Every structure is written in structure tokens, then in C-alpha cells.
Amino acid sequence: MKDDTVFQKLVIIGYGKITGEIITYAIEKQKEYGYQLEVIEHEVHSFSITEKLCMEHGIPFARIEDKKELTACLDSFSERTLIVSASNNFLFPKKLVEKENLTIINFHNALLPAYPGRNAPSWVIFTGEKETGITWHYVTAGVDEGNIIIQKRCEIGADTKAYELAERLMTLAYEAFVECFDAVLKEQADAREQGFDAGRRMYRSYEVPADGFFEMAEEPEYIYRLLRSLDYGKNGIFPPAQTVVDGKRAEILRYRKVVGSENREADSFLFLPLGADNLLKIKYRLL
Amino acid sequence: MEEKVLEILEEHCEEALDYDGDSMMEDGVIDSFTVINVVSDLEDEFDIEIDAKYVIAENFRNKEAIIELVRKLLEE
């Protein structure tokens, strides 16, 4: 016997770890609810396993990078469809959001209404927040403005880097998804309005904390915070941070908090005191 | 060098040491976040820069591929 859902189709859009987990969970739940399941990858990622997972389970998979093509694809659905935007930067156009047969939910990696837009883990680290979290919300025509379905919180450690926080938030997002999925399918989710100010700041994709630049005279704690906020490993979300060394522009190759308090000298390395017992070791390259 | 690479792998992904296939990513042994940590430690340990073009599934398919990547970068 099938549980009661109005949705005939479930479409998951995303890539990476959280998308894989949500697909696996949606496959389990498919037996209960009987929806058709499809997966769309909008952004290609070198380590994504989404396609392989779909192939293994015989789930229709499409990679659609072009925004117009993706819009046309979603617009073509005529049945009642729930779209789960898992790890996805595609902004759903108004004409899709307003279609009566489509319901769209999205995972945002901050506690809305705070930090809407892009790269929230970076901004919360840069601004020195001690806590952040995730939000699943219904998608409306405004970016990250829809009603909140569920939120979960986590602390931001003193050494947390952007990619570490992003990973933690994805784990939280999956836990929250499992908690709210049945209610969403049954249209019984207790969603609440965000209640934000009209002038709230939206973080755009082209914005970089401190424009990715610091002066050597700035507090090491600030520099460390900035470097951590820009750190997504080699994913190239932000360009390398820059500073000026001996009057010449330099880009930061890597950094690390190390134990010690004495200033050390080494080619292409900077050592800045970080608290009483540590140094911020920075490797740079002159441009 | 090999020993150090294995030490780093052990720290972040012990399962990788026993893995004998050729796609750690697809087989769920390692994920993209672990790769970031491994790359960061390899750069620090060997004072090398691992350009993003090398951070692909092919170069992280198993421990031998990672050792080969480090060897290649050390020779450059």
C-alpha cells in the first residue's frame, strides 16, 4: 500500500555527497510513495558520483548545464512534481516557481534569513560568527526567501575552514532532509515565514570576503579568519588571497596554524604571531 | 616519500591503505572533502604545490596513483 502523497514525480537536482545521500534515501522511500524518480546534475564536478549511483539503480539521469535547457526541461513536466534542490546553484526562474504542478524545496547552507545568497560558509567565518546552520525552505521567485521547512544549527570552531564547514553543513542538511521529507511529500510541513527586513544583504557569487586581500599590518586573527573563509581547497571557488610583501604583490599558496611563538624566517614564508602560543605560517608567491 | 604519503592517507582515510581497486571515489572510499585534506597535507609535507588540474579522480583512484602524483611533482 502506498502512503499518501500528491506528488507523482520527484526530481533531485544537485551533485556531490549530499545529493548522493538524498538519492539513496529517495530510492528507499519510493517503495512507500510510488513516485517516479529522476536526477539532474546541473553543475559538473570532477568527484561527483551522482551519475554512477543513478546507473546502478536504474534511475533516469540527465546532465544539463545550460540554464535555458534546464528551465525548458523542468517546464515540460505536467504531473505534480516535487523538485529537491540539494547542492545546486541554479536559480529557478519565476515562471517555474509559479507553476501550480511544481513544488520546489532548496537546501541553503546558513540559518535563513541570515546570509542569503552564495558562499554562506565563507561569510559566516569571515564575519566571526560562532554559530551557523542549514535551512531547507520552499523556493519562491526571490532568492532564499521562501518559507522555512526545517533548520539545524552547528558551532563554528576557531580553526574551521570554509570547506570543513561546508561538509559539516551538508551532513546536517541530510539529517534535516530525512526529518522533513515525509511531511513535505504529504504537504504537511509546518513551514514558517522568514520575516526578514526589506534591505537585508544578499551575498552575490562575485563577492569575495575583503575582496580576497589583506594588509600585513592587519591583526593576524583577522588574516587567519579571512584565509579560512576563502579556503575550499583546490575547488577554485575563490581566487587565492593576496597581500603585499616587501612592496610587491603576492598571492597566498597555503597557510597553517603551527605551534610556536618565535618569529622564524624562511624564503616565501611569513610567520605571524597568533595568540600566545601559535604562529600563522603563510606560504606566498610573488606575482 | 611513499611512507609519508601513506601516513597522510592513514590520518585522513585509513580505508585507502587497504583498497586495491582503481576508483576510490566511485567506490566510496574517499570523498572530495577528504581529498582537500590530503592535498593540503601533501603540499605541506613535501613543500609542493598541487595545482587544481591534478586534483582529479584519476590521480586519487588509489594510493599508488597518489604516490605517483607526488613523485611527479617532486621531480618537476
Side-chain angles (χ1 to χ4, degrees), chain A residues 17 45-47 49 52 161 163-164 166-167 170 231-235 253-254 256 269 281 283 285, chain B residues 25-27 31-33 35-37 39-41 43-44 47-52 55-57 60:
Chain A
K17 188 177 173 183
H45 190 280
S46 60
F47 290 116
I49 56 163
K52 182 174 183 264
K161 297 164 184 169
Y163 72 86
E164 292 170 333
E167 181 186 23
M170 285 196 186
D231 191 351
Y232 286 91
K234 303 292 175 178
N235 286 339
L253 297 175
R254 58 183 188 269
R256 187 165 287 237
F269 282 98
K281 178 183 175 185
K283 168 107 186 209
R285 173 167 57 204
Chain B
M25 188 63 60
E26 288 194 354
D27 291 335
D31 63 24
S32 56
F33 295 108
V35 168
I36 295 175
N37 284 320
V39 166
S40 173
D41 280 2
E43 287 186 326
D44 242 34
D47 195 18
I48 53 175
E49 307 312 320
I50 304 179
D51 191 275
V55 187
I56 53 175
F60 289 83

Side-chain angles (χ1 to χ4, degrees), chain A residues 3-181:
Chain A
D3 261 5
D4 195 19
T5 178
V6 297
F7 298 106
Q8 295 152 300
K9 183 183 279 197
L10 175 66
V11 177
I12 299 169
I13 304 181
Y15 65 90
K17 188 177 173 183
I18 186 176
T19 301
E21 289 173 333
I22 287 176
I23 292 169
T24 304
Y25 188 69
I27 291 168
E28 279 176 38
K29 285 286 181 176
Q30 197 176 21
K31 296 171 203 127
E32 249 176 83
Y33 290 99
Y35 46 68
Q36 299 169 52
L37 178 58
E38 291 183 21
V39 175
I40 297 173
E41 195 172 68
H42 174 54
E43 290 171 64
V44 180
H45 190 280
S46 60
F47 290 116
S48 184
I49 56 163
T50 310
E51 185 173 13
K52 182 174 183 264
L53 186 62
C54 290
M55 280 176 64
E56 281 173 0
H57 292 90
I59 296 166
F61 171 88
R63 182 170 290 121
I64 308 174
E65 292 180 71
D66 183 78
K67 288 176 185 169
K68 282 184 185 166
E69 201 183 321
L70 179 55
T71 301
C73 171
L74 301 176
D75 195 28
S76 71
F77 298 149
S78 55
E79 57 274 79
R80 278 290 271 130
T81 301
L82 174 64
I83 298 173
V84 176
S85 166
S87 178
N88 165 50
N89 291 316
F90 173 69
L91 295 177
F92 295 89
K94 194 175 174 191
K95 78 169 186 176
L96 284 181
V97 171
E98 292 181 349
K99 280 192 77 175
E100 286 192 359
N101 66 312
L102 299 183
T103 297
I104 309 171
I105 64 169
N106 177 60
F107 148 55
H108 181 72
N109 49 12
L111 291 169
L112 291 173
Y115 298 97
R118 295 287 291 273
N119 303 318
S122 295
W123 291 102
V124 295
I125 291 172
F126 179 61
T127 53
E129 298 279 2
K130 303 289 183 226
E131 184 188 66
T132 186
I134 64 96
T135 304
W136 278 99
H137 65 95
Y138 286 106
V139 172
T140 58
V143 177
D144 296 329
E145 289 184 358
N147 289 355
I148 292 169
I149 301 165
I150 189 170
Q151 292 187 308
K152 280 189 178 285
R153 295 168 180 273
C154 69
E155 287 181 6
I156 304 171
D159 299 312
T160 301
K161 297 164 184 169
Y163 72 86
E164 292 170 333
L165 183 55
E167 181 186 23
R168 173 77 184 117
L169 295 174
M170 285 196 186
T171 302
L172 279 184
Y174 176 64
E175 290 170 13
F177 180 80
V178 169
E179 281 182 34
C180 72
F181 189 49

